[in-house]
Amino acid sequence: MRSSIGYIFTLAIALAAFLPFCAFAAPTVTIYTDSDSYSPGDTIAVSLAGQNFDFGMSVDIYIGLLTPDGGTFTLVQSGWSVYLDPWVRDIYIPNPFDMPRTEFMWQSVPSDIPPITQEGEYYFAAGLTYPDSFEFVGDISFAQFFYGSAQGTGF
């Protein structure tokens, strides 16, 4: 009896040590810009990459812009919104899925919508949530950039 309890205890510790390496590998999305600094008259090219090497699942895709003054805007099917709504709803990401970096949006600056007029640091953001929820699947990706006439911001 004592040896079987010791065996079960040892097995439980071994599984506890091993489980973090077997954890769910959520689908990922990564957002990029083609530069880290833009001046008036430039065009920002925004790209996405995505991967899924675990089981297939449905997600909502969010694309956002964070402005220097704290504004938050999301890209929706009809354009930009001040509401936190998904860009794509309930899309199935199969396994395996490996989308290389792909440009999907071009934005001339300055622009009123989305508002890229003020000099400073901006962030495009991309994230996945479970459908019809605000529970994120994996990490949110950020692409930081500077807009303004001053170059050489140290990025």
Side-chain angles (χ1 to χ4, degrees):
M1 177 73 166
R2 184 178 280 183
S3 65
S4 63
I5 291 174
Y7 174 75
I8 291 171
F9 182 73
T10 303
L11 181 62
I13 290 189
L15 283 174
F18 180 69
L19 283 177
F21 299 105
C22 297
F24 169 63
T28 62
V29 62
T30 307
I31 194 162
Y32 304 91
T33 57
D34 61 328
S35 179
D36 59 8
S37 183
Y38 300 92
S39 297
D42 289 346
T43 298
I44 303 171
V46 184
S47 304
L48 287 177
Q51 294 184 326
N52 184 24
F53 297 114
D54 207 337
F55 59 87
M57 66 183 300
S58 293
V59 297
D60 289 347
I61 303 173
Y62 284 80
I63 304 294
L65 176 70
L66 309 174
T67 62
D69 62 0
T72 303
F73 300 85
T74 57
L75 183 62
V76 295
Q77 290 296 314
S78 59
W80 288 93
S81 172
V82 295
Y83 302 104
L84 294 177
D85 291 321
W87 175 48
V88 178
R89 292 182 185 273
D90 198 18
I91 187 170
Y92 184 76
I93 301 177
N95 170 16
F97 179 77
D98 191 9
M99 182 183 84
R101 186 173 172 170
T102 305
E103 288 184 356
F104 76 100
M105 182 178 73
W106 299 265
Q107 182 68 52
S108 297
V109 290
S111 69
D112 291 328
I113 298 179
I116 304 175
T117 56
Q118 175 183 344
E119 186 171 296
E121 292 178 12
Y122 290 79
Y123 297 85
F124 279 110
L128 305 174
T129 66
Y130 293 100
D132 299 319
S133 80
F134 208 63
E135 183 181 346
F136 281 88
V137 176
D139 295 329
I140 300 171
S141 172
F142 294 96
Q144 179 183 21
F145 67 94
F146 177 83
Y147 170 73
S149 55
Q151 299 292 319
T153 62
F155 284 121

